Amino acid sequence: MKEDVEEIAARVKELREISEIPAEDLAKELGFAAEEYIAWESAQKDFPVGALVEIASRFKVDLSELISGKASKLKTFCVTRNGQAPEVSRRPMYGYWNLAYNFHRKKAEPFLVEASAETENKPISLNTHPGQEFNYVLEGRLLISISGHDIELEPGDCIYYDSSEPHGMKALGGKAAQFLAIVF
């Protein structure tokens, strides 16, 4: 895991340096706190998925290439078989799987996300990233907090929101919650 964080950070730093953009300027342009961005790029902290989506978009590279170092190839369609989506972030108590990892030049990033049952007993960790997000609950119950508003969602419920607002989520009811997250 630490190696993955370091490799992703190195790729991001290289893209930024090739473009001759100071870290502080890129952070400001993308709407991130400079200290937070510098911690990500130096691999002191893992990049949130939303931040990687924005960085990939800024440098016109596919998210999968930024994460894996390998170029996506499919341009007409891609199929991701059950259980075959690569995990793209290993934040404690959350799993993120990229559902269209090999499609070239996506306009959105679809993820299968699982918030473990243990998140219920923890405070919600808020994050922000430019753009918008859509979440659709598949299993379990989910509490999502967006800019101070707490909303409970059950299977079949969905929410669309401005992801530049502070947001985060956790499972409810002592069970994991699984949902689709599409980041635009």
Side-chain angles (χ1 to χ4, degrees), residues 18-54:
I18 288 169
S19 298
E20 299 179 348
I21 302 170
E24 295 80 4
D25 291 356
L26 181 61
K28 183 178 180 183
E29 176 185 332
L30 297 176
F32 305 128
E35 309 79 46
E36 187 82 4
Y37 176 83
I38 290 167
W40 298 333
E41 192 179 278
S42 64
Q44 294 171 354
K45 292 175 72 177
D46 198 357
F47 281 94
V49 171
L52 289 173
V53 169
E54 289 302 313

Tab-separated table of all heavy atoms in Angstrom, residues 18-54:
chain	number	residue	atom	x	y	z
A	18	ILE	N	6.594	18.497	-15.268
A	18	ILE	CA	6.684	18.593	-16.731
A	18	ILE	C	5.929	19.826	-17.213
A	18	ILE	O	6.357	20.511	-18.140
A	18	ILE	CB	6.139	17.318	-17.405
A	18	ILE	CG1	7.118	16.160	-17.200
A	18	ILE	CG2	5.843	17.541	-18.887
A	18	ILE	CD1	6.567	14.800	-17.595
A	19	SER	N	4.813	20.117	-16.559
A	19	SER	CA	3.996	21.282	-16.920
A	19	SER	C	4.520	22.574	-16.311
A	19	SER	O	3.936	23.642	-16.530
A	19	SER	CB	2.551	21.060	-16.479
A	19	SER	OG	2.014	19.949	-17.150
A	20	GLU	N	5.600	22.469	-15.530
A	20	GLU	CA	6.250	23.622	-14.899
A	20	GLU	C	5.278	24.446	-14.055
A	20	GLU	O	5.234	25.668	-14.131
A	20	GLU	CB	6.953	24.486	-15.950
A	20	GLU	CG	8.040	23.739	-16.695
A	20	GLU	CD	8.733	24.567	-17.760
A	20	GLU	OE1	8.254	25.659	-18.120
A	20	GLU	OE2	9.779	24.092	-18.249
A	21	ILE	N	4.496	23.742	-13.225
A	21	ILE	CA	3.539	24.389	-12.335
A	21	ILE	C	4.002	24.156	-10.898
A	21	ILE	O	4.172	23.007	-10.494
A	21	ILE	CB	2.123	23.798	-12.513
A	21	ILE	CG1	1.647	23.944	-13.954
A	21	ILE	CG2	1.135	24.447	-11.550
A	21	ILE	CD1	0.381	23.173	-14.250
A	22	PRO	N	4.199	25.213	-10.115
A	22	PRO	CA	4.535	25.019	-8.700
A	22	PRO	C	3.396	24.292	-7.973
A	22	PRO	O	2.213	24.475	-8.305
A	22	PRO	CB	4.708	26.447	-8.162
A	22	PRO	CG	4.972	27.283	-9.384
A	22	PRO	CD	4.212	26.626	-10.505
A	23	ALA	N	3.734	23.479	-6.985
A	23	ALA	CA	2.738	22.700	-6.243
A	23	ALA	C	1.649	23.603	-5.656
A	23	ALA	O	0.460	23.278	-5.723
A	23	ALA	CB	3.422	21.903	-5.138
A	24	GLU	N	2.055	24.742	-5.106
A	24	GLU	CA	1.082	25.659	-4.499
A	24	GLU	C	0.098	26.196	-5.536
A	24	GLU	O	-1.091	26.356	-5.260
A	24	GLU	CB	1.794	26.826	-3.797
A	24	GLU	CG	2.636	26.417	-2.615
A	24	GLU	CD	4.016	25.854	-2.988
A	24	GLU	OE1	4.382	25.830	-4.192
A	24	GLU	OE2	4.722	25.407	-2.061
A	25	ASP	N	0.590	26.474	-6.745
A	25	ASP	CA	-0.276	26.992	-7.808
A	25	ASP	C	-1.272	25.936	-8.270
A	25	ASP	O	-2.450	26.234	-8.497
A	25	ASP	CB	0.548	27.475	-9.003
A	25	ASP	CG	1.360	28.724	-8.696
A	25	ASP	OD1	1.233	29.269	-7.581
A	25	ASP	OD2	2.144	29.143	-9.571
A	26	LEU	N	-0.811	24.689	-8.407
A	26	LEU	CA	-1.725	23.619	-8.815
A	26	LEU	C	-2.786	23.390	-7.748
A	26	LEU	O	-3.965	23.236	-8.066
A	26	LEU	CB	-0.958	22.325	-9.091
A	26	LEU	CG	-1.828	21.152	-9.547
A	26	LEU	CD1	-2.541	21.467	-10.862
A	26	LEU	CD2	-0.987	19.895	-9.685
A	27	ALA	N	-2.371	23.383	-6.487
A	27	ALA	CA	-3.327	23.205	-5.391
A	27	ALA	C	-4.400	24.289	-5.452
A	27	ALA	O	-5.602	23.988	-5.371
A	27	ALA	CB	-2.605	23.234	-4.052
A	28	LYS	N	-3.988	25.519	-5.625
A	28	LYS	CA	-4.945	26.641	-5.689
A	28	LYS	C	-5.872	26.486	-6.897
A	28	LYS	O	-7.083	26.659	-6.787
A	28	LYS	CB	-4.188	27.962	-5.751
A	28	LYS	CG	-5.104	29.167	-5.758
A	28	LYS	CD	-4.319	30.464	-5.760
A	28	LYS	CE	-5.269	31.646	-5.770
A	28	LYS	NZ	-4.565	32.923	-5.837
A	29	GLU	N	-5.302	26.163	-8.043
A	29	GLU	CA	-6.093	25.999	-9.268
A	29	GLU	C	-7.170	24.930	-9.100
A	29	GLU	O	-8.293	25.084	-9.574
A	29	GLU	CB	-5.163	25.616	-10.422
A	29	GLU	CG	-5.872	25.335	-11.718
A	29	GLU	CD	-4.939	24.832	-12.813
A	29	GLU	OE1	-3.726	25.167	-12.796
A	29	GLU	OE2	-5.422	24.102	-13.686
A	30	LEU	N	-6.832	23.844	-8.415
A	30	LEU	CA	-7.769	22.738	-8.253
A	30	LEU	C	-8.648	22.858	-7.016
A	30	LEU	O	-9.525	22.027	-6.790
A	30	LEU	CB	-7.012	21.412	-8.233
A	30	LEU	CG	-6.271	21.073	-9.528
A	30	LEU	CD1	-5.485	19.782	-9.371
A	30	LEU	CD2	-7.230	20.978	-10.702
A	31	GLY	N	-8.407	23.883	-6.203
A	31	GLY	CA	-9.256	24.106	-5.037
A	31	GLY	C	-8.857	23.313	-3.804
A	31	GLY	O	-9.688	23.082	-2.917
A	32	PHE	N	-7.590	22.913	-3.710
A	32	PHE	CA	-7.104	22.172	-2.552
A	32	PHE	C	-6.247	23.090	-1.688
A	32	PHE	O	-5.596	24.001	-2.202
A	32	PHE	CB	-6.238	20.977	-2.974
A	32	PHE	CG	-6.903	20.031	-3.926
A	32	PHE	CD1	-6.279	19.667	-5.106
A	32	PHE	CD2	-8.157	19.494	-3.655
A	32	PHE	CE1	-6.887	18.790	-5.995
A	32	PHE	CE2	-8.766	18.616	-4.533
A	32	PHE	CZ	-8.129	18.264	-5.701
A	33	ALA	N	-6.205	22.826	-0.408
A	33	ALA	CA	-5.278	23.537	0.477
A	33	ALA	C	-3.861	23.126	0.083
A	33	ALA	O	-3.585	21.942	-0.124
A	33	ALA	CB	-5.553	23.184	1.930
A	34	ALA	N	-2.959	24.090	-0.020
A	34	ALA	CA	-1.593	23.808	-0.468
A	34	ALA	C	-0.907	22.792	0.446
A	34	ALA	O	-0.231	21.878	-0.039
A	34	ALA	CB	-0.778	25.102	-0.529
A	35	GLU	N	-1.090	22.919	1.770
A	35	GLU	CA	-0.440	21.994	2.701
A	35	GLU	C	-0.927	20.564	2.477
A	35	GLU	O	-0.145	19.612	2.531
A	35	GLU	CB	-0.725	22.386	4.161
A	35	GLU	CG	-0.450	23.836	4.511
A	35	GLU	CD	-1.571	24.788	4.064
A	35	GLU	OE1	-2.769	24.518	4.264
A	35	GLU	OE2	-1.218	25.836	3.490
A	36	GLU	N	-2.233	20.425	2.249
A	36	GLU	CA	-2.814	19.100	2.015
A	36	GLU	C	-2.265	18.513	0.709
A	36	GLU	O	-1.844	17.363	0.659
A	36	GLU	CB	-4.342	19.204	1.949
A	36	GLU	CG	-5.043	17.889	1.887
A	36	GLU	CD	-5.213	17.224	3.247
A	36	GLU	OE1	-4.852	17.814	4.272
A	36	GLU	OE2	-5.705	16.094	3.256
A	37	TYR	N	-2.259	19.311	-0.349
A	37	TYR	CA	-1.753	18.845	-1.636
A	37	TYR	C	-0.291	18.415	-1.522
A	37	TYR	O	0.105	17.373	-2.032
A	37	TYR	CB	-1.911	19.915	-2.722
A	37	TYR	CG	-1.297	19.453	-4.013
A	37	TYR	CD1	-2.022	18.629	-4.864
A	37	TYR	CD2	0.027	19.747	-4.339
A	37	TYR	CE1	-1.442	18.126	-6.031
A	37	TYR	CE2	0.608	19.256	-5.483
A	37	TYR	CZ	-0.128	18.442	-6.326
A	37	TYR	OH	0.450	17.934	-7.449
A	38	ILE	N	0.523	19.212	-0.855
A	38	ILE	CA	1.940	18.892	-0.706
A	38	ILE	C	2.116	17.590	0.078
A	38	ILE	O	2.990	16.774	-0.250
A	38	ILE	CB	2.701	20.082	-0.072
A	38	ILE	CG1	2.752	21.232	-1.099
A	38	ILE	CG2	4.099	19.684	0.384
A	38	ILE	CD1	3.181	22.570	-0.545
A	39	ALA	N	1.277	17.355	1.077
A	39	ALA	CA	1.338	16.089	1.832
A	39	ALA	C	0.989	14.911	0.921
A	39	ALA	O	1.602	13.841	1.026
A	39	ALA	CB	0.393	16.137	3.031
A	40	TRP	N	0.038	15.093	0.013
A	40	TRP	CA	-0.320	14.019	-0.930
A	40	TRP	C	0.854	13.753	-1.870
A	40	TRP	O	1.256	12.619	-2.077
A	40	TRP	CB	-1.542	14.378	-1.762
A	40	TRP	CG	-2.814	14.599	-1.014
A	40	TRP	CD1	-3.176	14.064	0.197
A	40	TRP	CD2	-3.903	15.402	-1.431
A	40	TRP	NE1	-4.430	14.496	0.549
A	40	TRP	CE2	-4.897	15.323	-0.442
A	40	TRP	CE3	-4.142	16.200	-2.545
A	40	TRP	CZ2	-6.113	15.992	-0.532
A	40	TRP	CZ3	-5.349	16.871	-2.638
A	40	TRP	CH2	-6.323	16.771	-1.640
A	41	GLU	N	1.357	14.826	-2.481
A	41	GLU	CA	2.396	14.666	-3.496
A	41	GLU	C	3.697	14.126	-2.907
A	41	GLU	O	4.474	13.476	-3.608
A	41	GLU	CB	2.647	16.002	-4.206
A	41	GLU	CG	3.481	15.839	-5.449
A	41	GLU	CD	3.734	17.137	-6.179
A	41	GLU	OE1	2.846	17.558	-6.953
A	41	GLU	OE2	4.809	17.711	-5.970
A	42	SER	N	3.948	14.353	-1.637
A	42	SER	CA	5.158	13.831	-1.000
A	42	SER	C	4.910	12.450	-0.391
A	42	SER	O	5.791	11.915	0.284
A	42	SER	CB	5.665	14.808	0.062
A	42	SER	OG	4.708	14.924	1.097
A	43	ALA	N	3.720	11.883	-0.626
A	43	ALA	CA	3.337	10.543	-0.150
A	43	ALA	C	3.258	10.450	1.372
A	43	ALA	O	3.303	9.372	1.924
A	43	ALA	CB	4.248	9.465	-0.727
A	44	GLN	N	3.115	11.598	2.034
A	44	GLN	CA	2.893	11.577	3.476
A	44	GLN	C	1.457	11.164	3.779
A	44	GLN	O	1.180	10.611	4.834
A	44	GLN	CB	3.181	12.951	4.084
A	44	GLN	CG	4.627	13.354	3.991
A	44	GLN	CD	4.845	14.800	4.388
A	44	GLN	OE1	3.907	15.559	4.638
A	44	GLN	NE2	6.108	15.195	4.455
A	45	LYS	N	0.546	11.481	2.853
A	45	LYS	CA	-0.859	11.096	2.960
A	45	LYS	C	-1.307	10.577	1.599
A	45	LYS	O	-0.773	10.991	0.573
A	45	LYS	CB	-1.726	12.308	3.346
A	45	LYS	CG	-1.494	12.822	4.757
A	45	LYS	CD	-2.285	14.072	5.046
A	45	LYS	CE	-3.758	13.761	5.193
A	45	LYS	NZ	-4.547	14.948	5.547
A	46	ASP	N	-2.285	9.686	1.606
A	46	ASP	CA	-2.814	9.140	0.356
A	46	ASP	C	-3.756	10.151	-0.287
A	46	ASP	O	-4.527	10.827	0.402
A	46	ASP	CB	-3.564	7.837	0.658
A	46	ASP	CG	-3.778	6.981	-0.577
A	46	ASP	OD1	-3.399	7.406	-1.690
A	46	ASP	OD2	-4.318	5.880	-0.420
A	47	PHE	N	-3.715	10.258	-1.610
A	47	PHE	CA	-4.630	11.113	-2.347
A	47	PHE	C	-6.060	10.598	-2.205
A	47	PHE	O	-6.291	9.400	-2.416
A	47	PHE	CB	-4.311	11.084	-3.852
A	47	PHE	CG	-3.156	11.925	-4.289
A	47	PHE	CD1	-1.891	11.377	-4.388
A	47	PHE	CD2	-3.332	13.249	-4.642
A	47	PHE	CE1	-0.815	12.135	-4.819
A	47	PHE	CE2	-2.275	14.017	-5.077
A	47	PHE	CZ	-1.004	13.462	-5.166
A	48	PRO	N	-7.041	11.450	-1.911
A	48	PRO	CA	-8.430	11.012	-2.015
A	48	PRO	C	-8.770	10.753	-3.488
A	48	PRO	O	-8.200	11.377	-4.393
A	48	PRO	CB	-9.237	12.204	-1.495
A	48	PRO	CG	-8.257	13.091	-0.800
A	48	PRO	CD	-6.913	12.811	-1.399
A	49	VAL	N	-9.710	9.853	-3.725
A	49	VAL	CA	-10.089	9.516	-5.097
A	49	VAL	C	-10.537	10.756	-5.864
A	49	VAL	O	-10.144	10.974	-7.014
A	49	VAL	CB	-11.181	8.426	-5.115
A	49	VAL	CG1	-11.718	8.227	-6.515
A	49	VAL	CG2	-10.645	7.124	-4.565
A	50	GLY	N	-11.341	11.606	-5.240
A	50	GLY	CA	-11.820	12.813	-5.920
A	50	GLY	C	-10.692	13.721	-6.356
A	50	GLY	O	-10.745	14.322	-7.434
A	51	ALA	N	-9.652	13.822	-5.542
A	51	ALA	CA	-8.496	14.645	-5.907
A	51	ALA	C	-7.786	14.049	-7.115
A	51	ALA	O	-7.390	14.773	-8.037
A	51	ALA	CB	-7.543	14.771	-4.730
A	52	LEU	N	-7.651	12.722	-7.140
A	52	LEU	CA	-7.005	12.079	-8.291
A	52	LEU	C	-7.816	12.277	-9.566
A	52	LEU	O	-7.247	12.467	-10.641
A	52	LEU	CB	-6.796	10.592	-8.014
A	52	LEU	CG	-5.720	10.268	-6.989
A	52	LEU	CD1	-5.717	8.771	-6.678
A	52	LEU	CD2	-4.342	10.713	-7.472
A	53	VAL	N	-9.137	12.247	-9.451
A	53	VAL	CA	-9.993	12.495	-10.618
A	53	VAL	C	-9.720	13.895	-11.166
A	53	VAL	O	-9.556	14.085	-12.379
A	53	VAL	CB	-11.490	12.321	-10.254
A	53	VAL	CG1	-12.388	12.837	-11.364
A	53	VAL	CG2	-11.805	10.863	-9.942
A	54	GLU	N	-9.639	14.883	-10.273
A	54	GLU	CA	-9.385	16.264	-10.708
A	54	GLU	C	-7.995	16.422	-11.315
A	54	GLU	O	-7.829	17.105	-12.321
A	54	GLU	CB	-9.547	17.222	-9.523
A	54	GLU	CG	-10.977	17.381	-9.083
A	54	GLU	CD	-11.882	17.876	-10.203
A	54	GLU	OE1	-11.518	18.844	-10.909
A	54	GLU	OE2	-12.955	17.287	-10.370
